Amino acid sequence: MHESFETLFGHEPDGVWSAPGRVNLIGEHTDYNGGLALPFAIDRRTRVAVRQRPDHRIRITTDFEDADLTSGLITATLATAGQVSGWSRYVLGVVHVLRRELGIEGCGFEALVTSTVPIAVGVSSSAALEAAVLVALDELWDLRLERGEMVRLGQLVENEVVGAPTGTLDQSAVLLTERDHAVLLDFQADTAEKVPLGFDAAALEILVIDSLVRHDHATGGYGQRRRECEEAAVIAGVQSLREIDPTEVDAWARRMPAQVHRRLRHVVTDTERARLVAEHLRLGRPREIGPILTDGHRSQRDDFENSVPAIDAAVETAIAAGGLGARMTGGGFGGAAVALVETADAERIAVEVADAVQQAGHARPVVFPVRAADAARRDA
């Protein structure tokens, strides 16, 4: 990366920073509803090499688009960083939000972005890029931000610059986790508890199944589901759906539109599933979480209605092939599923899933294993 940066910009970078993608083990669309979620960072990372400039100019490029580095070079200034589109929103949006929220001037820079985090799959490629830039500028601009503040700033980039009405799950996962752990996020209490996964010791593995069906959280179903959750909360007279006890879910069925009630039921029960999975993991019983993950997928498919046929096929095949549990991960409407499998069976299940999904008439999915990795950091 240093060599590419020097070839492009004519000098070495000041450093290289990175942030991981993430898999959400359980707890989907619970973040903006005050619930629980249990994500972990994965060993696919976005890296950004950065060198400060003595002026206000910004020059950035990436190798993850189908263009050579030079022709893909994007230029801006500190003052125009909030007026951008395309992938550069995730970089320049950080600049814009930092300057506005912290009341700082900042300085220009040059940056080269590379990534092994799949894009639009549901493993937080956008949060990985935002977090990598955040930790880089935090050091270069001597901001000394707490990680919790970085989470808030990253969400502002998504909400205000990108236009995606997301909560803080993704930013928390890529900024607060650590190797071999998930993090139990309580969005009502605003707490983050590291929970040991124990997958290696139990000879278990997580497979990510990329359906190749792409999504965009800035448009479409994600925003609609959020509005339906808000409608459910208004009808129920609560600040957030977290306030509804799981035993009270059925009682609301006759008091709101059926579709809105299904959204409520998913959020409340998925929060309970996240609590149960974390409890099993703390007790060293990771094998027992499989059925809970599968229940979570049924809830997304039937109640939240944000799955797609290719992912449903992947989940069904993974379980039929011997997986302990599987579910869609991420915001939905495309993206990926995850399957908890025995390490000894991982390669066989990966092939069987890809074959079966393709034979069902969908694109052949890309299936790869992931391990729980470190959060955003300086690499060099």
Side-chain angles (χ1 to χ4, degrees):
M1 196 168 187
H2 278 71
E3 183 177 341
S4 296
F5 189 97
E6 187 170 6
T7 299
L8 184 63
F9 295 113
H11 41 242
E12 289 255 331
D14 292 328
V16 177
W17 294 260
S18 74
R22 71 99 182 94
V23 158
N24 192 26
L25 198 57
I26 194 73
E28 220 64 79
H29 288 267
T30 54
D31 53 349
Y32 55 82
N33 286 297
L36 300 175
L38 192 68
F40 64 88
I42 64 174
D43 51 353
R44 298 282 186 111
R45 302 186 77 85
T46 294
R47 290 180 168 80
V48 55
V50 185
R51 182 183 176 92
Q52 292 194 92
R53 292 177 57 93
D55 55 26
H56 288 182
R57 292 188 66 201
I58 300 171
R59 302 170 73 209
I60 59 173
T61 192
T62 179
D63 67 355
F64 59 64
E65 291 204 328
D66 294 329
D68 66 71
L69 296 178
T70 303
S71 64
L73 191 66
I74 293 172
T75 61
T77 66
L78 294 175
T80 63
Q83 306 164 20
V84 293
S85 61
W87 75 268
S88 65
R89 292 174 296 174
Y90 301 101
V91 177
L92 299 176
V94 171
V95 174
H96 171 72
V97 167
L98 283 175
R99 296 179 73 238
R100 187 195 67 195
E101 291 295 303
L102 304 182
I104 59 172
E105 179 63 22
C107 63
F109 59 87
E110 293 158 342
L112 167 62
V113 177
T114 69
S115 185
T116 59
V117 182
I119 298 171
V121 172
V123 292
S124 295
S125 58
S126 60
L129 179 50
E130 292 156 3
V133 175
L134 271 167
V135 294
L137 295 183
D138 178 62
E139 181 175 337
L140 292 173
W141 291 0
D142 194 28
L143 303 178
R144 304 182 186 183
L145 296 171
E146 297 289 338
R147 286 297 174 104
E149 176 68 353
M150 290 187 188
V151 168
R152 183 185 75 85
L153 294 167
Q155 183 192 22
L156 288 177
V157 175
E158 288 281 353
N159 294 172
E160 299 183 7
V161 180
V162 178
T166 60
T168 58
L169 188 153
D170 293 354
Q171 291 76 21
S172 297
V174 303
L175 285 161
L176 303 179
T177 50
E178 68 177 63
R179 189 182 304 269
D180 299 325
H181 286 70
V183 58
L184 181 64
L185 301 171
D186 186 326
F187 297 100
Q188 184 178 63
D190 194 25
T191 59
E193 175 198 349
K194 292 174 183 175
V195 179
L197 288 168
F199 290 163
D200 287 346
L204 298 176
E205 199 159 278
I206 291 286
L207 292 177
V208 173
I209 306 164
D210 176 4
S211 70
L212 302 183
V213 179
R214 296 301 181 241
H215 60 220
D216 181 357
H217 290 338
T219 61
Y222 190 104
Q224 178 64 30
R225 295 301 183 278
R226 183 161 187 165
R227 289 189 291 274
E228 290 165 344
C229 291
E230 292 167 352
E231 181 181 351
V234 169
I235 295 172
V238 295
Q239 289 293 110
S240 73
L241 296 184
R242 174 65 177 281
E243 297 175 43
I244 297 176
D245 189 273
T247 62
E248 300 172 351
V249 168
D250 291 343
W252 287 104
R254 295 181 298 276
R255 305 185 193 181
M256 60 182 64
Q259 179 171 294
V260 173
H261 180 257
R262 290 196 299 273
R263 309 305 187 240
L264 177 154
R265 182 165 56 200
H266 165 74
V267 170
V268 174
T269 58
D270 228 33
T271 284
E272 178 64 10
R273 281 184 284 271
R275 186 191 67 78
L276 288 172
V277 169
E279 183 177 304
H280 284 309
L281 293 173
R282 290 190 203 100
L283 294 173
R285 303 202 299 252
R287 274 189 172 77
E288 297 179 25
I289 73 172
I292 305 173
L293 303 185
T294 305
D295 283 345
H297 182 74
R298 296 190 191 102
S299 181
Q300 290 186 95
R301 182 192 65 199
D302 300 336
D303 282 346
F304 218 69
E305 298 178 281
N306 64 333
S307 187
V308 296
I311 289 181
D312 293 339
V315 167
E316 292 163 8
T317 304
I319 295 168
L324 302 182
R327 61 176 289 272
M328 183 176 65
T329 189
F333 309 101
V338 291
L340 179 68
V341 303
E342 302 276 358
T343 300
D345 296 334
E347 290 187 17
R348 175 185 59 79
I349 291 175
V351 172
E352 289 188 24
V353 168
D355 287 345
V357 172
Q358 186 176 28
Q359 289 165 10
H362 308 291
R364 185 177 183 84
V366 177
V367 187
F368 55 92
V370 294
R371 294 189 173 212
D374 290 323
R377 69 191 183 203
R378 181 181 180 124
D379 287 344

